[in-house]
């Protein structure tokens, strides 16, 4: 069997286990999440979203500093691992102290003592996460995603149940915080059990300068990526009420649910796979185009389909108190396929160590989105969503053009991939919104009818416009059975 076939089979096998773990847990977790949202208030999600801007930034910072370098490195000795472990402990301890110290200042910025209290509690997560990074990175490096999926499933379901119980008992926003702490603690404990650290940390760092340089570049990129993805709440939290922030946060959370489950699945497998063929540009280009094509075949019907029926889903699933989140959610969902496609370039760029190129891309997107956010901020949650609808497509075109030039792919080749799924998606939207003239009541029956109408129209039109891609996707899935 050729190396190409081996890699393909390894990638498909890994995707199968990652996907299986996601599917089995997400049905349960989504059901619990929707139940929790019904129990909590918009302001609960508002204060958590504001606190999460700072906590998630620090979490992303340390994740980008070590994990990609461990996965991408061609050779790892125990001496190197011991020095990385020592560096991880120093960095995590420093961030724990930093968050405790700066919590009150962040709370003062948002004019909320609750935000400060949340940051002081979840700061302890940094001390726990210090023991997960190396074992988790080694499991990913070896593409042992069956083990990773089982660990993730147990941790996520346990966290969801904890959140639900605490929300039901009236703990409000603390239910969300302690649910996350349970998830991190369980995931770390199980990862250590499966892949234990059998050496002590070393605080001499002579062997890891190259790794830290690469990790440092990725950390700079991750910092910009975080600013890009969270600057809407960071900016709006200063000028808008917790209720408005909560409505936007729930709209964003609802819109991101499919992406948060699909995209990490692909990226988790794609980066190690691209790293294995980093010296074969033609194969990389082929995988990039296939990833873009098949992502559009999946994300357009998923996100645009949800956008067409979210006016029924939110009142039915979340309750009438969240009805003001319908329009922001619908707008964000329409933009999500572009966000998905843009991020799919990341694993290939990282495998080629094109971190500076990625950082320039982010600076471009940040500049465009800052203007859009300040233009939309006075219109509340809907204005923030409109900022994404108008700003991101412009940024997307510029960034994708830069990426295609880097990989020597014609921009028109990528653009053509959008034609069939987007045309089918637009007609799907028209069909669903047309059906609302006949099925107007907010009910589960009407929701199911409209979903069937939309799905049928999309599949029929895609079969007419690009049936070759449908059969190709079917064969890829079938080949891994």
């Amino acid at each position: 069997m050729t190396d190409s076939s081996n890699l393909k089979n390894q990638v498909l096998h890994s995707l199968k286990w990652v996907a299986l773990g996601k599917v089995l847990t997400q049905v349960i977790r989504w059901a619990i999440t929707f139940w929790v949202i019904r129990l909590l208030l918009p302001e609960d999600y508002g204060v958590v979203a504001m606190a999460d801007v700072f906590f998630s930034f620090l979490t992303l910072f340390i994740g980008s500093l070590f994990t990609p370098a461990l996965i991408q490195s061609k050779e790892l000795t125990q001496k190197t691992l011991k020095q990385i472990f020592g560096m991880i402990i120093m960095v995590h301890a420093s961030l724990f102290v930093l968050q405790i110290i700066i919590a009150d200042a962040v709370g003062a910025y948002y004019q909320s003592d609750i935000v400060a209290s949340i940051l002081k509690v979840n700061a302890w997560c940094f001390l726990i996460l210090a023991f997960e990074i190396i074992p988790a990175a080694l499991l990913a490096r070896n593409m042992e995603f069956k083990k990773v999926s089982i660990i993730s499933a147990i941790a996520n379901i346990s966290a969801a149940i904890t959140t639900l119980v605490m929300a039901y008992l009236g703990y409000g926003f603390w239910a969300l915080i302690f649910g996350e702490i349970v998830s991190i603690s369980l995931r770390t404990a199980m990862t250590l059990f499966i892949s234990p650290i059998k050496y002590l940390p070393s605080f001499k760092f002579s062997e890891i300068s190259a790794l830290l340089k690469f990790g440092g570049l990725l950390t700079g990129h991750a910092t910009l990526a975080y600013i890009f993805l969270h600057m809407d709440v960071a900016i709006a939290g200063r000028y808008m009420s917790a209720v408005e922030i909560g409505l936007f946060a729930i709209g964003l959370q609802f819109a991101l649910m499919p992406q948060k489950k699909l995209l990490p699945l692909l990226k988790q497998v794609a980066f190690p796979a691209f790293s294995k063929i980093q010296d074969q540009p033609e194969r990389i280009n082929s995988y990039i185009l296939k990833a873009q094509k098949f992502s559009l075949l999946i994300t357009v019907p998923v996100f645009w389909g949800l956008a067409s029926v979210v006016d029924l889903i939110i009142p039915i699933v979340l309750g009438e108190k969240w009805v003001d989140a319908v329009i922001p959610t619908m707008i964000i969902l329409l933009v999500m396929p572009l966000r998905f496609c843009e991020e799919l370039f990341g694993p290939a760029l990282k495998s080629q160590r094109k971190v500076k190129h990625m950082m320039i891309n982010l600076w471009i997107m940040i500049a465009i989105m800052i203007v859009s956010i300040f233009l939309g901020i006075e219109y509340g949650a809907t204005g923030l969503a409109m900022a994404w609808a108008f700003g991101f497509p412009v940024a997307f075109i510029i960034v994708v053009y830069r990426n295609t030039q880097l990989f020597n792919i014609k921009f028109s080749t990528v653009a053509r991939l959008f034609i069939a799924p987007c045309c089918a998606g637009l007609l799907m939207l028209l069909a669903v919104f047309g059906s609302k003239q006949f099925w107007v009541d907010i009910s589960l029956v009407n929701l199911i009818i409209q979903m069937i109408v939309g799905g049928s129209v999309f599949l029929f039109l895609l079969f007419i416009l690009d049936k070759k891609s449908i059969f190709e996707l079917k064969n890829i899935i079938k080949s891994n059975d």
Side-chain angles (χ1 to χ4, degrees):
M1 185 176 288
T2 65
D3 291 340
S4 177
S5 298
N6 279 326
L7 179 61
K8 177 183 176 182
N9 291 334
Q10 194 174 15
V11 168
L12 291 175
H13 179 75
S14 300
L15 277 171
K16 180 187 73 174
W17 275 107
V18 177
L20 182 62
K22 297 290 184 182
V23 170
L24 291 177
T25 58
Q26 283 318 307
V27 173
I28 299 173
R29 194 172 185 187
W30 281 351
I32 294 176
T33 297
F34 293 143
W35 193 352
V36 169
I37 292 172
R38 293 181 71 93
L39 292 171
L40 300 183
L41 300 172
E43 47 263 46
D44 291 324
Y45 281 91
V47 293
V48 171
M50 288 185 277
D52 194 55
V53 169
F54 187 75
F55 173 71
S56 293
F57 166 69
L58 295 183
T59 305
L60 184 68
F61 175 87
I62 51 180
S64 301
L65 184 60
F66 300 107
T67 301
L70 285 166
I71 294 174
Q72 202 270 347
S73 179
K74 291 187 176 181
E75 184 179 357
L76 288 174
T77 64
Q78 187 174 84
K79 184 177 180 181
T80 300
L81 291 172
K82 290 171 70 174
Q83 292 186 9
I84 292 175
F85 189 25
M87 178 63 73
I88 287 171
I89 290 175
M90 288 181 58
V91 171
H92 280 243
S94 299
L95 293 180
F96 164 73
V97 173
L98 173 64
Q99 182 160 310
I100 294 290
I101 293 172
I102 207 169
D104 289 328
V106 176
Y109 172 80
Y110 288 117
Q111 303 173 45
S112 172
D113 292 335
I114 294 174
V115 171
S117 298
I118 291 172
L119 288 172
K120 290 175 182 177
V121 171
N122 62 18
W124 292 91
C125 291
F126 291 115
L127 301 183
I128 301 170
L129 286 168
F131 296 92
E132 182 199 23
I133 289 181
I134 291 178
L138 293 180
L139 288 174
R141 175 186 173 89
N142 297 325
M143 301 188 80
E144 297 184 59
F145 293 108
K146 178 179 178 180
K147 296 175 182 178
V148 173
S149 298
I150 293 172
I151 290 170
S152 178
I154 295 173
N156 287 336
I157 292 174
S158 300
I161 293 173
T162 301
T163 302
L164 176 61
V165 171
M166 292 188 68
Y168 184 78
L169 294 175
Y171 283 91
F173 59 85
W174 286 117
L176 302 171
I177 302 305
F178 281 100
E180 182 66 17
I181 292 173
V182 167
S183 176
I184 290 172
S185 301
L186 275 177
R187 194 180 67 231
T188 299
M190 289 186 290
T191 302
L192 273 172
F193 180 79
I194 296 295
S195 179
I197 297 175
K198 298 180 179 179
Y199 40 82
L200 295 175
S202 171
F203 297 97
K204 297 178 180 179
F205 307 123
S206 59
E207 298 288 322
I208 61 173
S209 58
L211 286 176
L212 290 178
K213 182 179 180 181
F214 179 56
L217 286 173
L218 287 177
T219 298
H221 169 262
T223 301
L224 291 177
Y226 189 82
I227 292 171
F228 169 67
L229 292 173
H230 293 82
M231 60 186 177
D232 44 16
V233 173
I235 294 170
R238 178 70 175 175
Y239 303 100
M240 291 164 52
S241 68
V243 173
E244 285 287 339
I245 292 295
L247 291 171
F248 177 76
I250 285 300
L252 189 61
Q253 180 178 339
F254 188 91
L256 287 173
M257 275 183 175
Q259 183 186 14
K260 284 183 175 180
K261 310 313 168 189
L262 290 172
L263 191 59
L265 180 156
L266 295 173
K267 292 171 73 174
Q268 186 178 15
V269 177
F271 180 46
F274 277 123
S275 295
K276 290 178 182 293
I277 58 170
Q278 57 187 281
D279 299 324
Q280 303 173 51
E282 290 185 3
R283 291 181 67 190
I284 287 177
N285 290 358
S286 174
Y287 280 125
I288 288 173
L289 291 173
K290 285 184 179 180
Q292 292 293 325
K293 178 169 66 174
F294 293 131
S295 74
L296 287 167
L297 292 177
I298 296 170
T299 58
V300 169
V302 168
F303 290 115
W304 289 12
L306 285 173
S308 68
V309 295
V310 74
D311 58 325
L312 299 181
I313 293 177
I314 285 182
I316 292 172
V317 177
L318 306 185
E320 292 294 331
K321 67 182 177 182
W322 292 100
V323 71
D324 288 339
V326 168
I327 299 300
T329 306
M330 185 183 298
I331 294 169
I332 296 169
L333 281 166
L334 293 173
V335 184
M336 291 310 299
L338 296 185
R339 289 182 59 170
F340 199 101
C341 289
E342 187 278 322
E343 288 204 40
L344 271 183
F345 279 98
L349 290 167
K350 283 183 183 179
S351 73
Q352 298 295 296
R353 293 179 174 256
K354 301 297 184 180
V355 183
K356 292 181 180 178
H357 175 92
M358 297 167 70
M359 292 174 73
I360 294 172
N361 285 349
L362 280 167
W363 276 118
I364 292 169
M365 292 192 291
I366 288 170
I368 293 171
M369 286 308 304
I370 283 179
V371 175
S372 295
I373 289 169
F374 275 104
L375 288 174
I377 200 170
E378 61 179 294
Y379 301 104
T382 300
L384 279 183
M386 291 299 293
W388 283 100
F390 285 103
F392 189 75
V394 176
F396 175 81
I397 292 171
I398 297 172
V399 166
V400 170
Y401 178 79
R402 281 175 43 79
N403 291 342
T404 56
Q405 295 299 298
L406 180 70
F407 287 109
N408 292 318
I409 299 172
K410 291 183 179 180
F411 179 77
S412 59
T413 302
V414 176
R416 282 195 295 271
L417 299 177
F418 284 76
I419 296 174
C422 287
C423 288
L426 286 171
L427 290 172
M428 174 187 69
L429 288 171
L430 291 174
V432 174
F433 283 115
S435 71
K436 293 179 187 292
Q437 306 303 314
F438 303 97
W439 294 286
V440 296
D441 295 333
I442 297 175
S443 68
L444 183 60
V445 172
N446 286 349
L447 172 61
I448 293 171
I449 291 172
Q450 291 178 23
M451 290 175 68
I452 292 172
V453 169
S456 301
V457 169
F458 182 85
L459 287 174
F460 175 73
L461 290 169
L462 189 63
F463 184 81
I464 293 174
L465 296 171
D466 192 13
K467 64 181 179 181
K468 179 181 177 182
S469 292
I470 296 178
F471 287 118
E472 190 175 352
L473 181 59
K474 180 182 176 181
N475 289 335
I476 288 176
I477 296 171
K478 191 174 181 180
S479 67
N480 195 42
D481 291 340

